Amino acid sequence: MSTRTPNEAAPAAATPLSLCSREPHVPADRLVAEMVPPPRFDSVRFDTYLPDPNQPSQCEAVKVLSGFAEGLGGAHATGAGRRRWFARKPAAPAGPRGVYLDGGYGVGKTHLLASLWHATPADPALKAFGTFVELTNLVGALGFQKTVQTLSGHRLLCIDEFELDDPGDTVLVSSLLGKLVEAGVALAATSNTLPGKLGEGRFAAADFLREIQGLSAHFRPLRIDGEDYRHRGLPEAPAPRSDQVVTETAYRVPGASLDDFPHLLEHLARVHPSRYGALTDDLSAVCLTDVGPVPDQSTALRLVVLADRLYDREIPVLASGLPFDKLFSDEMLNGGYKKKYFRAISRLTALARDAKGLVAQ
């Protein structure tokens, strides 16, 4: 858990930070170096996962993944560009070279994926962990061939929030993972969608069936049932605060940011999603005024990425306006990206609950 104590009063009132004033530049080497479990999941392990006793699939997932990690302890290529010149090319594995954790939001899939990363007996430099968006951003920054070369020497690649939102990503990731599996890299992924159903409802999936089936062949699906642990047995999400309370808190809490929600949404369109993590550097809290409905799907998807980065970094969110479960329209919540939006609502609600301690009593 975070060791921050943002509720401590500053010696004197200071002007809060602003997300809208930030346009970070993120070099490619930082993108590679940061492919590790985020702060929220830095200390998680299989034995810290608390399975729901009413959901046997959760205990089974721990057992299967523990065995998968142990199986990755054997010999492996020493890295792209460092194999012996006359070494025989390794044969492609006969069966799936990865595991795919499928389940609803909040059942602990990311916890289990990070635990797998920690449990795999390999140098951290030979293990990579990132979201699907971060992986595609890495290809954009390095180029396809350089990304293959960079990751081919790894023992394990963990991909969180695996979702295919357009045909280009489908072909790109299918080709990338095929190259990595051929190089001997083990794969693990989480998603709310079974591998064979990726892309369904978002684009003409039938036109890309070959690529989608190729992706599915790399994974052994592992279903994880259950309800959202972030709300299991917890009180209702706190109601939004007034503009005055949010503003006063932002000025009082060291390292807090203060932004008007509509202007923040506009700013996100000017910053590439690969930089949203850097956008939150050194923040202790995010304070937002005038939260309201997200106007369109492109804006909504950018907000989802920001919510993920805030959640990964355990940054509480204090807001005025509408509650977070009113951000997305009914059309959005019933469309092809609905699982992303529900995940964002779940995570922002958890961060709003974390922010309760920021408000002066």
Side-chain angles (χ1 to χ4, degrees), residues 2-358:
S2 173
T3 58
R4 301 186 189 93
T5 55
N7 200 32
E8 295 177 0
T15 302
L17 303 170
S18 170
L19 292 172
C20 290
S21 68
R22 295 181 166 194
E23 294 188 20
H25 169 71
V26 183
D29 57 353
R30 172 173 170 174
L31 294 177
V32 177
E34 290 185 343
M35 292 193 74
V36 297
R40 180 178 288 272
F41 299 99
D42 184 53
S43 61
V44 302
R45 299 295 186 271
F46 288 129
D47 59 5
T48 64
Y49 180 74
L50 301 177
D52 185 339
N54 297 317
Q55 302 293 342
S57 62
Q58 295 187 9
C59 289
E60 179 66 14
V62 173
K63 180 180 177 180
V64 171
L65 291 172
S66 297
F68 186 75
E70 292 175 4
L72 297 178
H76 181 73
T78 56
R82 292 181 286 165
R83 297 182 179 89
R84 294 182 180 179
W85 283 105
F86 301 105
R88 179 179 299 176
K89 182 179 180 180
R97 179 63 181 171
V99 289
Y100 189 99
L101 310 183
D102 172 70
Y105 48 91
V107 296
K109 299 187 302 297
T110 302
H111 183 132
L112 291 171
L113 189 70
S115 298
L116 172 65
W117 188 93
H118 289 297
T120 297
D123 188 303
L126 296 180
K127 300 183 288 186
F129 184 108
T131 65
F132 181 83
V133 171
E134 289 169 331
L135 182 62
T136 56
N137 289 338
L138 182 65
V139 177
L142 299 183
F144 183 82
Q145 294 300 334
K146 183 64 175 178
T147 303
V148 172
Q149 182 182 13
T150 299
L151 298 179
S152 287
H154 282 56
R155 185 73 56 81
L156 173 69
L157 171 61
C158 294
I159 310 167
D160 200 18
E161 300 153 17
F162 199 120
E163 297 185 27
L164 302 181
D165 298 337
D166 60 58
D169 282 348
T170 303
V171 177
L172 175 70
V173 175
S174 177
S175 300
L176 175 63
L177 297 189
K179 293 286 187 182
L180 296 180
V181 168
E182 182 179 334
V185 181
L187 307 173
T190 73
S191 183
N192 305 119
T193 308
L194 283 168
K197 299 294 185 180
L198 288 168
E200 197 170 80
R202 302 169 199 178
F203 57 88
D207 294 341
F208 294 87
L209 185 59
R210 180 175 59 83
E211 285 82 2
I212 294 173
Q213 288 177 335
L215 283 173
S216 179
H218 296 315
F219 297 100
R220 168 192 171 181
L222 189 62
R223 177 71 187 178
I224 303 175
D225 300 302
E227 62 183 72
D228 189 344
Y229 79 91
R230 287 182 284 268
H231 309 301
R232 191 189 305 162
L234 295 175
E236 290 295 319
R241 303 288 180 163
S242 67
D243 285 352
Q244 179 180 351
V245 168
V246 172
T247 301
E248 290 177 350
T249 301
Y251 274 88
R252 181 175 50 80
V253 175
S257 66
L258 176 63
D259 292 278
D260 174 76
F261 187 69
H263 289 133
L264 175 60
L265 295 183
E266 293 175 3
H267 183 65
L268 292 180
R270 297 190 290 271
V271 179
H272 192 274
S274 65
R275 302 177 183 178
Y276 286 6
L279 196 67
T280 68
D281 281 352
D282 304 319
L283 291 184
S284 64
V286 166
C287 297
L288 300 172
T289 59
D290 197 22
V291 170
V294 179
D296 56 75
Q297 191 129 262
S298 295
T299 302
L301 291 173
R302 287 191 287 268
L303 181 61
V304 168
V305 177
L306 179 64
D308 287 339
R309 300 293 80 78
L310 292 172
Y311 183 77
D312 289 344
R313 288 158 175 76
E314 302 182 294
I315 301 174
V317 178
L318 187 70
S320 68
L322 288 181
F324 289 130
D325 60 0
K326 303 298 183 182
L327 285 173
F328 308 109
S329 67
D330 289 342
E331 182 180 1
M332 292 179 185
L333 294 178
N334 289 291
Y337 301 102
K338 62 183 179 181
K339 291 177 181 177
K340 283 191 172 188
Y341 299 143
F342 279 115
R343 184 180 75 233
I345 292 170
S346 173
R347 290 183 166 186
L348 287 171
T349 298
L351 295 176
R353 190 177 293 120
D354 292 344
K356 289 181 66 175
L358 299 175

